[in-house]
Amino acid sequence: MRLLIVEDEKRLAAALVRGLTAEGFVVDLAHDGITGLHKATEDDYDLIMLDIMLPGMNGYRLCGALREAGHDTPILMLTAKDGEYDEAEGLDTGADDYLTKPFSYLVLVARIRALLRRRTRAGAPVLRIGDLTVDPDAQRAHRAGKEITLTAKEFAVLQQLAVRAGQVMSKSDILAEVWDFAYEGDPNIVEVYISALRRKIDAPFGRRSITTLRGRGYRLEADGGTDA
């Protein structure tokens, strides 16, 4: 796997290159946004690690430029800034994940591997659960022929349930697949997304396809079910 790091803190950049090379990655490095954009557009990378505060061109602009040009390489934002607005802006420009400095190296590697796993799933077949279809490549879901508008995270949770349709997925299973195993936030965030999915894929269609099995997890079923 080939990575590009765009980071102007040279000591941090050098440490990341050493560590990730030891993990088996091939790593290229740029210290400013303009050089980073040139490298990202001239060469093929499996993932780009992108600092926000960069000379020449900041990370938001660089990320937006890559997405506008049609590049779908996973982008992990690295920044010393912290706050919901900054995260939202980064994700709105097309970033796939966001990590605030200082960060644990183990968490960084976990995030990288999680993003790479998601990318290698490209080419997956359309999943059909009754009249619900989930298209991993197009990132679209339909029920009874009607498209359902989902956020990226909502779709990711639905996709995991659809891949294992008929099976029980625990909160920890979903967190590991959608957020990654190093997630340190409130695990009840899964309940928030399950509730959102029920409002979008079930309620408007008179379905109850996402079943809760208390103390065990959730199950997506073609014929629906009742909470137990």
Side-chain angles (χ1 to χ4, degrees):
M1 292 288 184
R2 189 176 182 190
L3 311 182
L4 172 63
I5 299 174
V6 188
E7 169 61 67
D8 65 328
E9 294 182 35
K10 294 187 177 180
R11 290 179 61 185
L12 172 60
L16 291 174
V17 170
R18 287 195 302 271
L20 292 170
T21 299
E23 296 282 345
F25 296 106
V26 176
V27 185
D28 289 344
L29 179 62
H31 291 301
D32 64 83
I34 294 174
T35 302
L37 179 61
H38 176 75
K39 285 181 176 290
T41 53
E42 292 296 316
D43 296 307
D44 291 327
Y45 293 98
D46 296 289
L47 182 139
I48 298 171
M49 294 170 53
L50 180 61
D51 189 30
I52 289 179
M53 304 303 290
L54 291 167
M57 173 184 286
N58 69 36
Y60 295 136
R61 290 177 55 203
L62 200 165
C63 181
L66 290 174
R67 295 308 189 223
E68 288 175 9
H71 292 271
D72 61 356
T73 305
I75 293 176
L76 173 60
M77 287 280 199
L78 303 178
T79 178
K81 300 175 72 176
D82 189 12
E84 289 185 2
Y85 176 79
D86 299 319
E87 180 172 2
E89 185 172 355
L91 297 177
D92 283 347
T93 59
D96 296 275
D97 203 354
Y98 181 99
L99 195 58
T100 303
K101 302 173 186 175
F103 49 79
S104 159
Y105 177 73
L106 292 177
V107 170
L108 172 66
V109 173
R111 295 286 183 89
I112 290 172
R113 296 197 186 282
L115 288 173
L116 292 174
R117 283 198 306 270
R118 292 174 205 166
R119 193 184 197 199
T120 56
R121 288 175 188 151
V126 174
L127 304 166
R128 292 180 172 82
I129 306 91
D131 63 352
L132 175 68
T133 62
V134 180
D135 187 338
D137 287 349
Q139 296 281 290
R140 289 180 174 178
H142 294 78
R143 169 148 262 168
K146 181 179 179 180
E147 183 166 1
I148 303 166
T149 301
L150 300 173
T151 67
K153 271 289 194 292
E154 288 168 352
F155 184 87
V157 173
L158 176 61
Q159 180 180 343
Q160 293 307 315
L161 292 170
V163 167
R164 296 166 178 79
Q167 302 175 27
V168 179
M169 286 197 75
S170 67
K171 285 183 184 178
S172 59
D173 291 335
I174 296 172
L175 285 171
E177 292 292 339
V178 178
W179 279 264
D180 81 53
F181 71 84
Y183 177 74
E184 297 178 347
D186 186 349
N188 289 326
I189 189 66
V190 174
E191 295 179 10
V192 175
Y193 281 91
I194 292 294
S195 294
L197 286 174
R198 284 176 169 147
R199 288 195 302 270
K200 293 183 176 183
I201 73 168
D202 279 350
F205 303 91
R207 307 286 199 278
R208 299 187 69 179
S209 57
I210 301 179
T211 302
T212 299
L213 294 97
R214 291 194 174 88
R216 296 170 59 193
Y218 306 96
R219 181 170 60 212
L220 181 64
E221 301 175 291
D223 297 329
T226 57
D227 289 352

